[in-house]
Amino acid sequence: MATPPKIPGLGAFADHKSGTPRPATPRFVTAAAWFLCLAAVMQFIASVFAIMHSVSPERRAVLEAQHAAMTGNRPSLEALQNIDVITVVLSALVTAGAYALFSIFLVKGRSWARLGAGILVALTFIQLVGVSYPEGFTTLAQVVCGVLAIALCYLPESSKFFATVKSSRS
């Protein structure tokens, strides 16, 4: 039987049995993972508000004005509204999925997960520009949860955990 090819970087996702057992996950890292899961829930709640806005009469009036200003082959008003809803749903799935993925790999001790979560939190922070309230409180809660999670990941106990897991894998 042939051996499978070695794919560079694949070890970042797989847990291989090495001689050194993986250390227990510190409570700070576990709390950080839960904060990221809470941020994913906030993303879904924000998406519900965004879908309600996408099908609202106010948004339809904006789409009608945009539709009237278009020239050439114009999509229907319903198509524009459907594009809004589909965009919200897809972005919710991707963002919440990313938060969940990073939380899973934080608990496993992957250093790249805390870096990726930090980038995701920074991108979420950018969403706060121009957000209207009270709908924007979910995005604000998402940012707060993300910042808390990242802060917990860089505490000395957490950093030692990530370093220990990395050394045990090599």
Side-chain angles (χ1 to χ4, degrees), residues 49-63:
F49 285 125
I51 289 171
M52 289 183 345
H53 173 72
S54 294
V55 297
S56 71
E58 295 86 20
R59 179 66 182 155
R60 186 160 179 94
V62 169
L63 289 176

Side-chain angles (χ1 to χ4, degrees), residues 15-109:
D15 282 331
H16 297 292
K17 303 283 189 227
S18 65
T20 310
R22 187 171 67 86
T25 306
R27 60 188 170 94
F28 291 129
V29 176
T30 304
W34 281 110
F35 276 124
L36 289 181
C37 289
L38 185 58
V41 170
M42 289 295 132
Q43 176 63 42
F44 278 122
I45 293 170
S47 298
V48 169
F49 285 125
I51 289 171
M52 289 183 345
H53 173 72
S54 294
V55 297
S56 71
E58 295 86 20
R59 179 66 182 155
R60 186 160 179 94
V62 169
L63 289 176
E64 286 173 355
Q66 289 176 351
H67 190 260
M70 289 180 182
T71 59
N73 191 5
R74 303 185 301 186
S76 69
L77 216 53
E78 288 75 24
L80 291 175
Q81 204 165 25
N82 288 341
I83 289 171
D84 273 359
V85 172
I86 290 170
T87 302
V88 168
V89 169
L90 289 178
S91 66
L93 290 174
V94 168
T95 305
Y99 274 117
L101 179 79
F102 291 140
S103 70
I104 290 168
F105 283 102
L106 274 180
V107 173
K108 289 184 175 189

Side-chain angles (χ1 to χ4, degrees), residues 18-21 23 109 111 160-170:
S18 65
T20 310
S111 295
K160 182 180 174 189
F161 166 70
F162 287 110
T164 305
V165 169
K166 185 175 184 177
S167 67
S168 73
R169 288 188 354 207
S170 47

